[in-house]
Amino acid sequence: MTIEKTLTGETLILKVIGRLDTSTAPQLEAEMNDSLDSAKDLILDFSELEYISSAGLRVILKAQKIMNKQGTMKLTGVNDTVMEVFDITGFSDILTFA
């Protein structure tokens, strides 16, 4: 997995490329821990995300809880396969998609 980070003012964009699973979720969590303090708006660009596991869902849920207190979080570019995981798990009801 590769993460491309862009911080513009108080907007943080994290583009996640590849697979977000048990082995890569800690990498995304570490990036968020390092970067979320200065962000008012978080955009997760999943346009090149191929797969997400429960470990990835946990990291996204943690980020959503943090951003609920300090700003907003949106997911963009979610493909049908990843969206199906969000739908089945009920995450599509609590996340914002753009």
Side-chain angles (χ1 to χ4, degrees), residues 28-42:
L28 180 59
E29 186 170 21
E31 184 63 57
M32 287 183 177
N33 288 340
D34 291 343
S35 305
L36 284 184
D37 288 343
S38 59
K40 197 169 198 175
D41 300 302
L42 172 63

Side-chain angles (χ1 to χ4, degrees), residues 7-18:
L7 182 61
T8 306
E10 295 180 324
T11 301
L12 173 64
I13 301 171
L14 296 176
K15 183 173 186 173
V16 183
I17 302 166

Side-chain angles (χ1 to χ4, degrees), residues 25-84:
Q27 179 185 351
L28 180 59
E29 186 170 21
E31 184 63 57
M32 287 183 177
N33 288 340
D34 291 343
S35 305
L36 284 184
D37 288 343
S38 59
K40 197 169 198 175
D41 300 302
L42 172 63
I43 298 172
L44 295 175
D45 180 349
F46 285 170
S47 59
E48 295 186 49
L49 182 68
E50 300 165 4
Y51 171 83
I52 188 166
S53 73
S54 60
L57 292 174
R58 182 188 61 78
V59 174
I60 292 169
L61 183 60
K62 181 179 177 184
Q64 182 67 66
K65 288 180 178 180
I66 292 168
M67 294 311 296
N68 282 344
K69 295 176 184 170
Q70 68 189 48
T72 64
M73 182 174 105
K74 294 179 184 168
L75 282 66
T76 64
V78 179
N79 68 35
D80 291 342
T81 304
V82 174
M83 184 56 85
E84 185 176 4

